PDB file of all heavy atoms in Angstrom:
ATOM      1  N   ILE A   1       0.854  -1.193   0.000  1.00 98.00           N
ATOM      2  CA  ILE A   1       0.000   0.000   0.000  1.00 98.00           C
ATOM      3  C   ILE A   1       0.886   1.237   0.000  1.00 98.00           C
ATOM      4  O   ILE A   1       1.763   1.380   0.852  1.00 98.00           O
ATOM      5  CB  ILE A   1      -0.944   0.020   1.220  1.00 98.00           C
ATOM      6  CG1 ILE A   1      -1.843  -1.229   1.226  1.00 98.00           C
ATOM      7  CG2 ILE A   1      -1.794   1.285   1.219  1.00 98.00           C
ATOM      8  CD1 ILE A   1      -2.785  -1.296   2.420  1.00 98.00           C
ATOM      9  N   TRP A   2       0.642   2.147  -0.950  1.00 98.00           N
ATOM     10  CA  TRP A   2       1.446   3.357  -1.106  1.00 98.00           C
ATOM     11  C   TRP A   2       0.543   4.580  -1.080  1.00 98.00           C
ATOM     12  O   TRP A   2      -0.487   4.608  -1.752  1.00 98.00           O
ATOM     13  CB  TRP A   2       2.217   3.300  -2.422  1.00 98.00           C
ATOM     14  CG  TRP A   2       3.122   4.462  -2.681  1.00 98.00           C
ATOM     15  CD1 TRP A   2       2.978   5.432  -3.639  1.00 98.00           C
ATOM     16  CD2 TRP A   2       4.327   4.778  -1.986  1.00 98.00           C
ATOM     17  NE1 TRP A   2       4.022   6.324  -3.578  1.00 98.00           N
ATOM     18  CE2 TRP A   2       4.871   5.954  -2.574  1.00 98.00           C
ATOM     19  CE3 TRP A   2       5.013   4.186  -0.920  1.00 98.00           C
ATOM     20  CZ2 TRP A   2       6.049   6.539  -2.127  1.00 98.00           C
ATOM     21  CZ3 TRP A   2       6.189   4.770  -0.478  1.00 98.00           C
ATOM     22  CH2 TRP A   2       6.694   5.928  -1.083  1.00 98.00           C
ATOM     23  N   ILE A   3       0.919   5.583  -0.283  1.00 98.00           N
ATOM     24  CA  ILE A   3       0.149   6.818  -0.101  1.00 98.00           C
ATOM     25  C   ILE A   3       0.904   7.978  -0.740  1.00 98.00           C
ATOM     26  O   ILE A   3       2.085   8.189  -0.467  1.00 98.00           O
ATOM     27  CB  ILE A   3      -0.055   7.138   1.398  1.00 98.00           C
ATOM     28  CG1 ILE A   3      -0.685   5.956   2.134  1.00 98.00           C
ATOM     29  CG2 ILE A   3      -0.872   8.418   1.561  1.00 98.00           C
ATOM     30  CD1 ILE A   3      -2.129   5.724   1.853  1.00 98.00           C
ATOM     31  N   GLU A   4       0.208   8.766  -1.594  1.00 97.00           N
ATOM     32  CA  GLU A   4       0.793   9.967  -2.194  1.00 97.00           C
ATOM     33  C   GLU A   4      -0.087  11.169  -1.864  1.00 97.00           C
ATOM     34  O   GLU A   4      -1.237  11.227  -2.309  1.00 97.00           O
ATOM     35  CB  GLU A   4       0.876   9.830  -3.711  1.00 97.00           C
ATOM     36  CG  GLU A   4       1.782   8.740  -4.217  1.00 97.00           C
ATOM     37  CD  GLU A   4       1.681   8.627  -5.731  1.00 97.00           C
ATOM     38  OE1 GLU A   4       2.390   9.385  -6.428  1.00 97.00           O
ATOM     39  OE2 GLU A   4       0.878   7.790  -6.200  1.00 97.00           O
ATOM     40  N   PRO A   5       0.406  12.123  -1.065  1.00 97.00           N
ATOM     41  CA  PRO A   5      -0.389  13.334  -0.795  1.00 97.00           C
ATOM     42  C   PRO A   5      -0.707  14.078  -2.086  1.00 97.00           C
ATOM     43  O   PRO A   5       0.134  14.198  -2.975  1.00 97.00           O
ATOM     44  CB  PRO A   5       0.531  14.159   0.103  1.00 97.00           C
ATOM     45  CG  PRO A   5       1.466  13.170   0.723  1.00 97.00           C
ATOM     46  CD  PRO A   5       1.678  12.119  -0.326  1.00 97.00           C
ATOM     47  N   LYS A   6      -1.934  14.601  -2.178  1.00 97.00           N
ATOM     48  CA  LYS A   6      -2.368  15.335  -3.365  1.00 97.00           C
ATOM     49  C   LYS A   6      -2.676  16.793  -3.071  1.00 97.00           C
ATOM     50  O   LYS A   6      -3.063  17.534  -3.975  1.00 97.00           O
ATOM     51  CB  LYS A   6      -3.599  14.648  -3.980  1.00 97.00           C
ATOM     52  CG  LYS A   6      -3.293  13.293  -4.595  1.00 97.00           C
ATOM     53  CD  LYS A   6      -2.275  13.388  -5.712  1.00 97.00           C
ATOM     54  CE  LYS A   6      -1.987  12.048  -6.346  1.00 97.00           C
ATOM     55  NZ  LYS A   6      -0.924  12.141  -7.373  1.00 97.00           N
ATOM     56  N   ASN A   7      -2.527  17.188  -1.804  1.00 96.00           N
ATOM     57  CA  ASN A   7      -2.617  18.603  -1.463  1.00 96.00           C
ATOM     58  C   ASN A   7      -1.587  18.880  -0.370  1.00 96.00           C
ATOM     59  O   ASN A   7      -0.844  17.975   0.047  1.00 96.00           O
ATOM     60  CB  ASN A   7      -4.033  19.000  -1.029  1.00 96.00           C
ATOM     61  CG  ASN A   7      -4.393  18.451   0.337  1.00 96.00           C
ATOM     62  OD1 ASN A   7      -3.938  17.383   0.748  1.00 96.00           O
ATOM     63  ND2 ASN A   7      -5.238  19.165   1.067  1.00 96.00           N
ATOM     64  N   GLN A   8      -1.512  20.111   0.098  1.00 95.00           N
ATOM     65  CA  GLN A   8      -0.536  20.475   1.113  1.00 95.00           C
ATOM     66  C   GLN A   8      -1.026  20.022   2.482  1.00 95.00           C
ATOM     67  O   GLN A   8      -1.956  20.588   3.048  1.00 95.00           O
ATOM     68  CB  GLN A   8      -0.315  21.999   1.117  1.00 95.00           C
ATOM     69  CG  GLN A   8       0.801  22.470   2.033  1.00 95.00           C
ATOM     70  CD  GLN A   8       2.176  22.076   1.529  1.00 95.00           C
ATOM     71  OE1 GLN A   8       2.450  22.168   0.347  1.00 95.00           O
ATOM     72  NE2 GLN A   8       3.033  21.629   2.439  1.00 95.00           N
ATOM     73  N   TRP A   9      -0.410  18.987   3.034  1.00 96.00           N
ATOM     74  CA  TRP A   9      -0.784  18.512   4.354  1.00 96.00           C
ATOM     75  C   TRP A   9      -0.222  19.442   5.426  1.00 96.00           C
ATOM     76  O   TRP A   9       0.781  20.129   5.213  1.00 96.00           O
ATOM     77  CB  TRP A   9      -0.247  17.104   4.573  1.00 96.00           C
ATOM     78  CG  TRP A   9      -0.978  16.047   3.804  1.00 96.00           C
ATOM     79  CD1 TRP A   9      -1.970  16.237   2.885  1.00 96.00           C
ATOM     80  CD2 TRP A   9      -0.780  14.641   3.886  1.00 96.00           C
ATOM     81  NE1 TRP A   9      -2.391  15.034   2.389  1.00 96.00           N
ATOM     82  CE2 TRP A   9      -1.678  14.032   2.991  1.00 96.00           C
ATOM     83  CE3 TRP A   9       0.074  13.828   4.622  1.00 96.00           C
ATOM     84  CZ2 TRP A   9      -1.752  12.664   2.810  1.00 96.00           C
ATOM     85  CZ3 TRP A   9       0.009  12.453   4.455  1.00 96.00           C
ATOM     86  CH2 TRP A   9      -0.897  11.878   3.562  1.00 96.00           C
ATOM     87  N   PRO A  10      -0.829  19.462   6.622  1.00 94.00           N
ATOM     88  CA  PRO A  10      -0.288  20.284   7.705  1.00 94.00           C
ATOM     89  C   PRO A  10       1.143  19.872   8.051  1.00 94.00           C
ATOM     90  O   PRO A  10       1.508  18.694   7.950  1.00 94.00           O
ATOM     91  CB  PRO A  10      -1.240  19.997   8.875  1.00 94.00           C
ATOM     92  CG  PRO A  10      -2.485  19.478   8.255  1.00 94.00           C
ATOM     93  CD  PRO A  10      -2.070  18.759   7.020  1.00 94.00           C
ATOM     94  N   THR A  11       1.938  20.838   8.463  1.00 93.00           N
ATOM     95  CA  THR A  11       3.306  20.553   8.893  1.00 93.00           C
ATOM     96  C   THR A  11       3.290  19.532  10.023  1.00 93.00           C
ATOM     97  O   THR A  11       2.456  19.597  10.932  1.00 93.00           O
ATOM     98  CB  THR A  11       3.992  21.838   9.371  1.00 93.00           C
ATOM     99  OG1 THR A  11       3.983  22.785   8.314  1.00 93.00           O
ATOM    100  CG2 THR A  11       5.419  21.572   9.802  1.00 93.00           C
ATOM    101  N   GLY A  12       4.212  18.566   9.983  1.00 94.00           N
ATOM    102  CA  GLY A  12       4.243  17.541  11.006  1.00 94.00           C
ATOM    103  C   GLY A  12       5.346  16.536  10.753  1.00 94.00           C
ATOM    104  O   GLY A  12       6.421  16.888  10.258  1.00 94.00           O
ATOM    105  N   HIS A  13       5.064  15.277  11.047  1.00 94.00           N
ATOM    106  CA  HIS A  13       6.072  14.236  10.852  1.00 94.00           C
ATOM    107  C   HIS A  13       5.385  12.897  10.584  1.00 94.00           C
ATOM    108  O   HIS A  13       4.210  12.697  10.905  1.00 94.00           O
ATOM    109  CB  HIS A  13       6.991  14.127  12.063  1.00 94.00           C
ATOM    110  CG  HIS A  13       6.290  13.695  13.322  1.00 94.00           C
ATOM    111  ND1 HIS A  13       5.702  14.589  14.194  1.00 94.00           N
ATOM    112  CD2 HIS A  13       6.058  12.459  13.858  1.00 94.00           C
ATOM    113  CE1 HIS A  13       5.157  13.940  15.203  1.00 94.00           C
ATOM    114  NE2 HIS A  13       5.355  12.638  15.020  1.00 94.00           N
ATOM    115  N   LEU A  14       6.154  11.989   9.997  1.00 96.00           N
ATOM    116  CA  LEU A  14       5.683  10.632   9.728  1.00 96.00           C
ATOM    117  C   LEU A  14       6.040   9.753  10.917  1.00 96.00           C
ATOM    118  O   LEU A  14       7.113   9.886  11.499  1.00 96.00           O
ATOM    119  CB  LEU A  14       6.332  10.088   8.456  1.00 96.00           C
ATOM    120  CG  LEU A  14       5.849   8.721   7.972  1.00 96.00           C
ATOM    121  CD1 LEU A  14       4.393   8.792   7.535  1.00 96.00           C
ATOM    122  CD2 LEU A  14       6.715   8.227   6.819  1.00 96.00           C
ATOM    123  N   GLU A  15       5.120   8.850  11.251  1.00 96.00           N
ATOM    124  CA  GLU A  15       5.309   8.032  12.447  1.00 96.00           C
ATOM    125  C   GLU A  15       5.076   6.561  12.120  1.00 96.00           C
ATOM    126  O   GLU A  15       4.206   6.217  11.314  1.00 96.00           O
ATOM    127  CB  GLU A  15       4.331   8.481  13.538  1.00 96.00           C
ATOM    128  CG  GLU A  15       4.833   8.293  14.945  1.00 96.00           C
ATOM    129  CD  GLU A  15       4.012   9.115  15.921  1.00 96.00           C
ATOM    130  OE1 GLU A  15       2.895   8.683  16.262  1.00 96.00           O
ATOM    131  OE2 GLU A  15       4.496  10.189  16.352  1.00 96.00           O
ATOM    132  N   LEU A  16       5.849   5.698  12.790  1.00 96.00           N
ATOM    133  CA  LEU A  16       5.675   4.253  12.703  1.00 96.00           C
ATOM    134  C   LEU A  16       5.372   3.734  14.106  1.00 96.00           C
ATOM    135  O   LEU A  16       6.120   3.989  15.050  1.00 96.00           O
ATOM    136  CB  LEU A  16       6.931   3.579  12.149  1.00 96.00           C
ATOM    137  CG  LEU A  16       6.899   2.048  12.076  1.00 96.00           C
ATOM    138  CD1 LEU A  16       5.836   1.560  11.088  1.00 96.00           C
ATOM    139  CD2 LEU A  16       8.275   1.496  11.689  1.00 96.00           C
ATOM    140  N   PHE A  17       4.269   3.008  14.221  1.00 95.00           N
ATOM    141  CA  PHE A  17       3.796   2.481  15.499  1.00 95.00           C
ATOM    142  C   PHE A  17       3.933   0.965  15.445  1.00 95.00           C
ATOM    143  O   PHE A  17       3.319   0.313  14.601  1.00 95.00           O
ATOM    144  CB  PHE A  17       2.336   2.907  15.688  1.00 95.00           C
ATOM    145  CG  PHE A  17       1.813   2.795  17.089  1.00 95.00           C
ATOM    146  CD1 PHE A  17       2.645   2.645  18.177  1.00 95.00           C
ATOM    147  CD2 PHE A  17       0.441   2.860  17.323  1.00 95.00           C
ATOM    148  CE1 PHE A  17       2.144   2.560  19.466  1.00 95.00           C
ATOM    149  CE2 PHE A  17      -0.082   2.781  18.608  1.00 95.00           C
ATOM    150  CZ  PHE A  17       0.780   2.629  19.679  1.00 95.00           C
ATOM    151  N   GLU A  18       4.748   0.374  16.343  1.00 94.00           N
ATOM    152  CA  GLU A  18       4.967  -1.066  16.382  1.00 94.00           C
ATOM    153  C   GLU A  18       4.577  -1.579  17.763  1.00 94.00           C
ATOM    154  O   GLU A  18       5.145  -1.175  18.775  1.00 94.00           O
ATOM    155  CB  GLU A  18       6.430  -1.393  16.079  1.00 94.00           C
ATOM    156  CG  GLU A  18       6.849  -0.997  14.665  1.00 94.00           C
ATOM    157  CD  GLU A  18       8.352  -1.081  14.442  1.00 94.00           C
ATOM    158  OE1 GLU A  18       9.099  -0.429  15.199  1.00 94.00           O
ATOM    159  OE2 GLU A  18       8.779  -1.781  13.505  1.00 94.00           O
ATOM    160  N   LEU A  19       3.608  -2.488  17.796  1.00 91.00           N
ATOM    161  CA  LEU A  19       3.064  -2.994  19.049  1.00 91.00           C
ATOM    162  C   LEU A  19       3.439  -4.446  19.262  1.00 91.00           C
ATOM    163  O   LEU A  19       3.762  -5.181  18.311  1.00 91.00           O
ATOM    164  CB  LEU A  19       1.531  -2.886  19.045  1.00 91.00           C
ATOM    165  CG  LEU A  19       0.923  -1.485  19.051  1.00 91.00           C
ATOM    166  CD1 LEU A  19      -0.572  -1.574  18.769  1.00 91.00           C
ATOM    167  CD2 LEU A  19       1.177  -0.796  20.373  1.00 91.00           C
ATOM    168  N   THR A  20       3.376  -4.872  20.512  1.00 88.00           N
ATOM    169  CA  THR A  20       3.437  -6.298  20.788  1.00 88.00           C
ATOM    170  C   THR A  20       2.144  -6.938  20.280  1.00 88.00           C
ATOM    171  O   THR A  20       1.149  -6.256  20.047  1.00 88.00           O
ATOM    172  CB  THR A  20       3.572  -6.544  22.298  1.00 88.00           C
ATOM    173  OG1 THR A  20       2.445  -5.946  22.953  1.00 88.00           O
ATOM    174  CG2 THR A  20       4.845  -5.903  22.847  1.00 88.00           C
ATOM    175  N   ALA A  21       2.140  -8.237  20.103  1.00 85.00           N
ATOM    176  CA  ALA A  21       0.939  -8.933  19.629  1.00 85.00           C
ATOM    177  C   ALA A  21       1.000 -10.391  20.056  1.00 85.00           C
ATOM    178  O   ALA A  21       2.075 -11.000  20.057  1.00 85.00           O
ATOM    179  CB  ALA A  21       0.809  -8.829  18.112  1.00 85.00           C
ATOM    180  N   ALA A  22      -0.159 -10.927  20.401  1.00 81.00           N
ATOM    181  CA  ALA A  22      -0.225 -12.305  20.875  1.00 81.00           C
ATOM    182  C   ALA A  22      -0.221 -13.316  19.733  1.00 81.00           C
ATOM    183  O   ALA A  22       0.218 -14.441  19.900  1.00 81.00           O
ATOM    184  CB  ALA A  22      -1.467 -12.501  21.737  1.00 81.00           C
ATOM    185  N   HIS A  23      -0.714 -12.896  18.557  1.00 86.00           N
ATOM    186  CA  HIS A  23      -0.797 -13.828  17.441  1.00 86.00           C
ATOM    187  C   HIS A  23      -0.993 -13.045  16.149  1.00 86.00           C
ATOM    188  O   HIS A  23      -1.199 -11.827  16.152  1.00 86.00           O
ATOM    189  CB  HIS A  23      -1.929 -14.841  17.640  1.00 86.00           C
ATOM    190  CG  HIS A  23      -3.272 -14.221  17.849  1.00 86.00           C
ATOM    191  ND1 HIS A  23      -4.044 -13.750  16.806  1.00 86.00           N
ATOM    192  CD2 HIS A  23      -3.985 -13.969  18.968  1.00 86.00           C
ATOM    193  CE1 HIS A  23      -5.174 -13.255  17.270  1.00 86.00           C
ATOM    194  NE2 HIS A  23      -5.165 -13.369  18.584  1.00 86.00           N
ATOM    195  N   GLU A  24      -0.952 -13.744  15.037  1.00 90.00           N
ATOM    196  CA  GLU A  24      -0.972 -13.101  13.729  1.00 90.00           C
ATOM    197  C   GLU A  24      -2.340 -12.566  13.328  1.00 90.00           C
ATOM    198  O   GLU A  24      -2.468 -11.903  12.294  1.00 90.00           O
ATOM    199  CB  GLU A  24      -0.480 -14.076  12.664  1.00 90.00           C
ATOM    200  CG  GLU A  24      -1.370 -15.297  12.479  1.00 90.00           C
ATOM    201  CD  GLU A  24      -0.652 -16.425  11.771  1.00 90.00           C
ATOM    202  OE1 GLU A  24       0.022 -17.216  12.465  1.00 90.00           O
ATOM    203  OE2 GLU A  24      -0.765 -16.515  10.530  1.00 90.00           O
ATOM    204  N   GLY A  25      -3.357 -12.805  14.109  1.00 88.00           N
ATOM    205  CA  GLY A  25      -4.682 -12.274  13.812  1.00 88.00           C
ATOM    206  C   GLY A  25      -4.889 -10.861  14.311  1.00 88.00           C
ATOM    207  O   GLY A  25      -5.972 -10.313  14.150  1.00 88.00           O
ATOM    208  N   ILE A  26      -3.864 -10.267  14.913  1.00 88.00           N
ATOM    209  CA  ILE A  26      -3.973  -8.929  15.485  1.00 88.00           C
ATOM    210  C   ILE A  26      -3.091  -7.962  14.704  1.00 88.00           C
ATOM    211  O   ILE A  26      -1.895  -8.213  14.514  1.00 88.00           O
ATOM    212  CB  ILE A  26      -3.548  -8.928  16.966  1.00 88.00           C
ATOM    213  CG1 ILE A  26      -4.484  -9.810  17.786  1.00 88.00           C
ATOM    214  CG2 ILE A  26      -3.516  -7.500  17.520  1.00 88.00           C
ATOM    215  CD1 ILE A  26      -4.079  -9.936  19.238  1.00 88.00           C
ATOM    216  N   ASP A  27      -3.664  -6.845  14.239  1.00 93.00           N
ATOM    217  CA  ASP A  27      -2.853  -5.797  13.627  1.00 93.00           C
ATOM    218  C   ASP A  27      -2.005  -5.123  14.704  1.00 93.00           C
ATOM    219  O   ASP A  27      -2.533  -4.674  15.723  1.00 93.00           O
ATOM    220  CB  ASP A  27      -3.740  -4.750  12.950  1.00 93.00           C
ATOM    221  CG  ASP A  27      -4.289  -5.232  11.614  1.00 93.00           C
ATOM    222  OD1 ASP A  27      -3.747  -6.218  11.082  1.00 93.00           O
ATOM    223  OD2 ASP A  27      -5.262  -4.629  11.112  1.00 93.00           O
ATOM    224  N   ASN A  28      -0.706  -5.051  14.486  1.00 94.00           N
ATOM    225  CA  ASN A  28       0.186  -4.457  15.483  1.00 94.00           C
ATOM    226  C   ASN A  28       1.138  -3.424  14.889  1.00 94.00           C
ATOM    227  O   ASN A  28       2.080  -2.995  15.556  1.00 94.00           O
ATOM    228  CB  ASN A  28       0.996  -5.548  16.193  1.00 94.00           C
ATOM    229  CG  ASN A  28       1.935  -6.294  15.254  1.00 94.00           C
ATOM    230  OD1 ASN A  28       1.610  -6.537  14.100  1.00 94.00           O
ATOM    231  ND2 ASN A  28       3.108  -6.647  15.736  1.00 94.00           N
ATOM    232  N   ILE A  29       0.873  -3.013  13.641  1.00 96.00           N
ATOM    233  CA  ILE A  29       1.726  -2.039  12.956  1.00 96.00           C
ATOM    234  C   ILE A  29       0.861  -0.901  12.428  1.00 96.00           C
ATOM    235  O   ILE A  29      -0.224  -1.136  11.895  1.00 96.00           O
ATOM    236  CB  ILE A  29       2.478  -2.694  11.772  1.00 96.00           C
ATOM    237  CG1 ILE A  29       3.313  -3.889  12.246  1.00 96.00           C
ATOM    238  CG2 ILE A  29       3.335  -1.673  11.047  1.00 96.00           C
ATOM    239  CD1 ILE A  29       4.453  -3.535  13.167  1.00 96.00           C
ATOM    240  N   GLY A  30       1.346   0.319  12.587  1.00 96.00           N
ATOM    241  CA  GLY A  30       0.651   1.472  12.033  1.00 96.00           C
ATOM    242  C   GLY A  30       1.636   2.477  11.467  1.00 96.00           C
ATOM    243  O   GLY A  30       2.735   2.663  11.998  1.00 96.00           O
ATOM    244  N   ALA A  31       1.270   3.122  10.365  1.00 97.00           N
ATOM    245  CA  ALA A  31       2.072   4.196   9.768  1.00 97.00           C
ATOM    246  C   ALA A  31       1.116   5.308   9.364  1.00 97.00           C
ATOM    247  O   ALA A  31       0.081   5.039   8.749  1.00 97.00           O
ATOM    248  CB  ALA A  31       2.864   3.692   8.565  1.00 97.00           C
ATOM    249  N   TYR A  32       1.483   6.579   9.674  1.00 97.00           N
ATOM    250  CA  TYR A  32       0.556   7.686   9.453  1.00 97.00           C
ATOM    251  C   TYR A  32       1.317   9.001   9.584  1.00 97.00           C
ATOM    252  O   TYR A  32       2.430   9.068  10.138  1.00 97.00           O
ATOM    253  CB  TYR A  32      -0.582   7.634  10.480  1.00 97.00           C
ATOM    254  CG  TYR A  32      -0.091   7.309  11.875  1.00 97.00           C
ATOM    255  CD1 TYR A  32       0.362   8.317  12.732  1.00 97.00           C
ATOM    256  CD2 TYR A  32      -0.029   5.988  12.318  1.00 97.00           C
ATOM    257  CE1 TYR A  32       0.848   8.029  13.985  1.00 97.00           C
ATOM    258  CE2 TYR A  32       0.465   5.684  13.576  1.00 97.00           C
ATOM    259  CZ  TYR A  32       0.905   6.695  14.407  1.00 97.00           C
ATOM    260  OH  TYR A  32       1.407   6.386  15.649  1.00 97.00           O
ATOM    261  N   TRP A  33       0.717  10.079   9.098  1.00 97.00           N
ATOM    262  CA  TRP A  33       1.272  11.425   9.193  1.00 97.00           C
ATOM    263  C   TRP A  33       0.637  12.141  10.383  1.00 97.00           C
ATOM    264  O   TRP A  33      -0.583  12.140  10.535  1.00 97.00           O
ATOM    265  CB  TRP A  33       1.019  12.209   7.909  1.00 97.00           C
ATOM    266  CG  TRP A  33       1.592  13.596   7.930  1.00 97.00           C
ATOM    267  CD1 TRP A  33       0.919  14.768   8.159  1.00 97.00           C
ATOM    268  CD2 TRP A  33       2.956  13.955   7.720  1.00 97.00           C
ATOM    269  NE1 TRP A  33       1.789  15.839   8.101  1.00 97.00           N
ATOM    270  CE2 TRP A  33       3.054  15.368   7.834  1.00 97.00           C
ATOM    271  CE3 TRP A  33       4.115  13.222   7.450  1.00 97.00           C
ATOM    272  CZ2 TRP A  33       4.257  16.051   7.678  1.00 97.00           C
ATOM    273  CZ3 TRP A  33       5.318  13.906   7.300  1.00 97.00           C
ATOM    274  CH2 TRP A  33       5.374  15.308   7.416  1.00 97.00           C
ATOM    275  N   VAL A  34       1.475  12.736  11.242  1.00 96.00           N
ATOM    276  CA  VAL A  34       1.006  13.415  12.450  1.00 96.00           C
ATOM    277  C   VAL A  34       1.214  14.917  12.295  1.00 96.00           C
ATOM    278  O   VAL A  34       2.351  15.396  12.285  1.00 96.00           O
ATOM    279  CB  VAL A  34       1.763  12.917  13.699  1.00 96.00           C
ATOM    280  CG1 VAL A  34       1.262  13.641  14.950  1.00 96.00           C
ATOM    281  CG2 VAL A  34       1.610  11.414  13.857  1.00 96.00           C
ATOM    282  N   PRO A  35       0.142  15.707  12.169  1.00 95.00           N
ATOM    283  CA  PRO A  35       0.281  17.163  12.087  1.00 95.00           C
ATOM    284  C   PRO A  35       0.749  17.749  13.425  1.00 95.00           C
ATOM    285  O   PRO A  35       0.471  17.196  14.493  1.00 95.00           O
ATOM    286  CB  PRO A  35      -1.132  17.652  11.744  1.00 95.00           C
ATOM    287  CG  PRO A  35      -1.869  16.445  11.287  1.00 95.00           C
ATOM    288  CD  PRO A  35      -1.252  15.284  11.986  1.00 95.00           C
ATOM    289  N   ASP A  36       1.416  18.868  13.342  1.00 92.00           N
ATOM    290  CA  ASP A  36       1.791  19.622  14.531  1.00 92.00           C
ATOM    291  C   ASP A  36       0.527  20.234  15.134  1.00 92.00           C
ATOM    292  O   ASP A  36      -0.159  21.028  14.487  1.00 92.00           O
ATOM    293  CB  ASP A  36       2.788  20.717  14.143  1.00 92.00           C
ATOM    294  CG  ASP A  36       3.198  21.585  15.321  1.00 92.00           C
ATOM    295  OD1 ASP A  36       2.830  21.252  16.465  1.00 92.00           O
ATOM    296  OD2 ASP A  36       3.883  22.598  15.094  1.00 92.00           O
ATOM    297  N   THR A  37       0.220  19.840  16.371  1.00 87.00           N
ATOM    298  CA  THR A  37      -1.009  20.346  17.011  1.00 87.00           C
ATOM    299  C   THR A  37      -0.702  21.363  18.112  1.00 87.00           C
ATOM    300  O   THR A  37      -1.546  21.619  18.974  1.00 87.00           O
ATOM    301  CB  THR A  37      -1.834  19.183  17.587  1.00 87.00           C
ATOM    302  OG1 THR A  37      -1.001  18.385  18.451  1.00 87.00           O
ATOM    303  CG2 THR A  37      -2.396  18.308  16.487  1.00 87.00           C
ATOM    304  N   THR A  38       0.513  21.916  18.099  1.00 87.00           N
ATOM    305  CA  THR A  38       0.788  22.984  19.069  1.00 87.00           C
ATOM    306  C   THR A  38      -0.016  24.233  18.738  1.00 87.00           C
ATOM    307  O   THR A  38      -0.245  25.071  19.602  1.00 87.00           O
ATOM    308  CB  THR A  38       2.288  23.333  19.083  1.00 87.00           C
ATOM    309  OG1 THR A  38       2.705  23.701  17.750  1.00 87.00           O
ATOM    310  CG2 THR A  38       3.113  22.142  19.548  1.00 87.00           C
ATOM    311  N   LYS A  39      -0.440  24.345  17.481  1.00 89.00           N
ATOM    312  CA  LYS A  39      -1.362  25.398  17.074  1.00 89.00           C
ATOM    313  C   LYS A  39      -2.664  24.744  16.636  1.00 89.00           C
ATOM    314  O   LYS A  39      -2.649  23.636  16.085  1.00 89.00           O
ATOM    315  CB  LYS A  39      -0.774  26.219  15.923  1.00 89.00           C
ATOM    316  CG  LYS A  39       0.496  26.977  16.295  1.00 89.00           C
ATOM    317  CD  LYS A  39       1.007  27.771  15.100  1.00 89.00           C
ATOM    318  CE  LYS A  39       2.275  28.527  15.462  1.00 89.00           C
ATOM    319  NZ  LYS A  39       2.808  29.309  14.300  1.00 89.00           N
ATOM    320  N   PRO A  40      -3.806  25.380  16.863  1.00 91.00           N
ATOM    321  CA  PRO A  40      -5.089  24.767  16.499  1.00 91.00           C
ATOM    322  C   PRO A  40      -5.157  24.440  15.000  1.00 91.00           C
ATOM    323  O   PRO A  40      -4.747  25.241  14.161  1.00 91.00           O
ATOM    324  CB  PRO A  40      -6.118  25.841  16.881  1.00 91.00           C
ATOM    325  CG  PRO A  40      -5.435  26.673  17.911  1.00 91.00           C
ATOM    326  CD  PRO A  40      -3.982  26.690  17.529  1.00 91.00           C
ATOM    327  N   LEU A  41      -5.677  23.271  14.706  1.00 93.00           N
ATOM    328  CA  LEU A  41      -5.911  22.917  13.312  1.00 93.00           C
ATOM    329  C   LEU A  41      -7.114  23.686  12.795  1.00 93.00           C
ATOM    330  O   LEU A  41      -8.092  23.896  13.533  1.00 93.00           O
ATOM    331  CB  LEU A  41      -6.157  21.408  13.192  1.00 93.00           C
ATOM    332  CG  LEU A  41      -4.967  20.515  13.543  1.00 93.00           C
ATOM    333  CD1 LEU A  41      -5.393  19.064  13.641  1.00 93.00           C
ATOM    334  CD2 LEU A  41      -3.852  20.675  12.519  1.00 93.00           C
ATOM    335  N   PRO A  42      -7.095  24.117  11.543  1.00 94.00           N
ATOM    336  CA  PRO A  42      -8.194  24.944  11.029  1.00 94.00           C
ATOM    337  C   PRO A  42      -9.457  24.132  10.798  1.00 94.00           C
ATOM    338  O   PRO A  42      -9.404  22.938  10.488  1.00 94.00           O
ATOM    339  CB  PRO A  42      -7.632  25.473   9.709  1.00 94.00           C
ATOM    340  CG  PRO A  42      -6.659  24.423   9.271  1.00 94.00           C
ATOM    341  CD  PRO A  42      -6.036  23.903  10.536  1.00 94.00           C
TER     342      PRO A  42
END
């Protein structure tokens, strides 16, 4: 799965979330863009 932004996203950073998991039936990985929320989002 590949994501390509098509407009100007809020300033921020890319994050990878890796969790423990008991078995393969549980999603334990996440990837997403995190906007800077020190200022209110419009």
Side-chain angles (χ1 to χ4, degrees):
I1 301 179
W2 182 248
I3 306 287
E4 296 175 85
K6 291 300 181 184
N7 72 329
Q8 187 70 42
W9 287 5
T11 302
H13 64 272
L14 185 66
E15 211 163 78
L16 177 65
F17 197 15
E18 296 169 304
L19 293 169
T20 59
H23 56 80
E24 64 198 86
I26 297 176
D27 283 344
N28 64 324
I29 303 294
Y32 42 86
W33 181 259
V34 180
D36 178 8
T37 53
T38 57
K39 296 180 180 179
L41 294 169

